[in-house]
Amino acid sequence: MGTALVTGASAGLGEEYCWQLAAAGHDLVLVARNEDRLKTLAHDLEQIAGVEAEVLIADLSTQEGRDRVATRLRSESKPVGLLVNNAGFGRGRPFLDGDFHEEIDGLNVMVRAVMELTHAAGRAMVARGRGAILNVSSVASDTGMGTYSAHKAWVKAFSEGIAEELRGTGVTVTAVMPGMVNTGFHDRTAVDTTQISPISWITPEQVVSESLAAVRRGQVLVTPSVRYKLTSTVVKFAPRWAVRAVTRQIPHM
């Protein structure tokens, strides 16, 4: 089945990607900063799913961390056939209200890491004539929710462009645009979700299963769930002033 490398593997969507890929028979390379959580997850995956799970500790906000993962992606010893660029975080504050160094960390994790790891994986995959890259964007990419939206808009546009560049090579690129996913992500970033309707939430299982199905089809863009497909369509055609007005009512990411 091949080996998949998942960034941000220790929790949330990343952990769910690991379990669904393991259930499909993929060996895994688990990437995150938290060594204890990764080792526990690797043990559980090996014992329950019967796959090999390699632990790679890396902080993608640093050049050293990104280089470590890129080196693994270039390796032809147990080559990686699927890269899932999932790592990310929110700050839960307006741009001017926080530490600017945190903004740079966010840029490094959600933009620069996606670029560098896609470059490393893409070259190795093209040389082999096969492979897939899945980048996690967001429905926020079509809104004006500060730097988080900007990062995710970049991921979406970047994925579309690279997908076209790689057409005919045997390597595909997919970007997934989840909405509000019930993973604990917002709790960890201190985002106030009390005003968000319960019907806005979707499960990580649905996001992961629909995005992996899109990868298997070679689909470039996928928005899980009917409600968020409709939301994305409305946002695309609505006046930008109206989108900004609605966005002001949504908690900062």
Side-chain angles (χ1 to χ4, degrees):
M1 291 289 186
T3 299
L5 185 148
V6 180
T7 69
S10 61
L13 283 179
E15 185 175 357
E16 182 62 26
Y17 274 114
C18 292
W19 280 109
Q20 290 200 26
L21 288 165
H26 292 273
D27 291 332
L28 290 153
V29 181
L30 315 178
V31 178
R33 296 176 298 174
N34 191 313
E35 183 173 5
D36 290 341
R37 293 190 69 163
L38 281 190
K39 286 184 174 179
T40 298
L41 177 59
H43 175 269
D44 291 346
L45 289 165
E46 290 179 339
Q47 295 300 309
I48 296 171
V51 300
E52 293 184 21
E54 174 185 343
V55 169
L56 180 54
I57 309 303
D59 181 350
L60 297 181
S61 70
T62 69
Q63 191 63 57
E64 179 186 5
R66 295 191 297 274
D67 287 345
R68 188 177 300 130
V69 181
T71 297
R72 178 62 184 85
L73 289 166
R74 296 187 189 102
S75 173
E76 285 305 307
S77 174
K78 202 169 181 57
V80 172
L82 169 64
L83 165 63
V84 181
N85 278 313
N86 165 76
F89 64 91
R91 296 175 59 251
R93 293 186 296 276
F95 175 63
L96 298 180
D97 288 355
D99 185 343
F100 185 69
H101 294 290
E102 290 183 3
E103 291 288 354
I104 297 301
D105 287 346
L107 182 71
N108 285 336
V109 171
M110 290 182 278
V111 174
R112 190 162 185 170
V114 173
M115 178 188 291
E116 292 184 15
L117 302 189
T118 296
H119 188 269
R123 282 193 163 187
M125 291 172 181
V126 168
R128 294 194 299 268
R130 64 187 183 281
I133 298 167
L134 172 59
N135 295 326
V136 178
S137 178
S138 170
V139 293
S141 62
D142 290 324
T143 70
M145 295 174 63
T147 51
Y148 184 84
S149 289
H151 299 334
K152 294 304 185 180
W154 183 91
V155 170
K156 180 180 177 183
F158 173 73
S159 299
E160 288 189 279
I162 302 303
E164 287 304 310
E165 287 187 22
L166 295 178
R167 186 177 296 277
T169 66
V171 181
T172 62
V173 179
T174 299
V176 57
M177 280 71 66
M180 302 295 290
V181 187
N182 195 3
T183 62
F185 169 87
H186 303 89
D187 294 335
R188 291 191 295 273
T189 56
V191 173
D192 180 9
T193 59
T194 57
Q195 303 303 312
I196 297 174
S197 169
I199 66 171
S200 297
W201 296 98
I202 56 177
T203 66
E205 291 83 0
Q206 181 176 7
V207 173
V208 171
S209 63
E210 289 195 28
S211 59
L212 291 179
V215 171
R216 296 183 189 104
R217 295 191 298 270
Q219 183 176 333
V220 178
L221 299 177
V222 57
T223 303
S225 87
V226 171
R227 77 182 71 122
Y228 280 112
K229 286 182 175 68
L230 291 173
T231 299
S232 294
T233 300
V234 170
V235 168
K236 287 175 185 175
F237 290 100
R240 293 307 298 174
W241 65 263
V243 174
R244 291 192 296 273
V246 172
T247 298
R248 283 198 296 272
Q249 311 306 314
I250 302 173
H252 282 275
M253 302 289 283

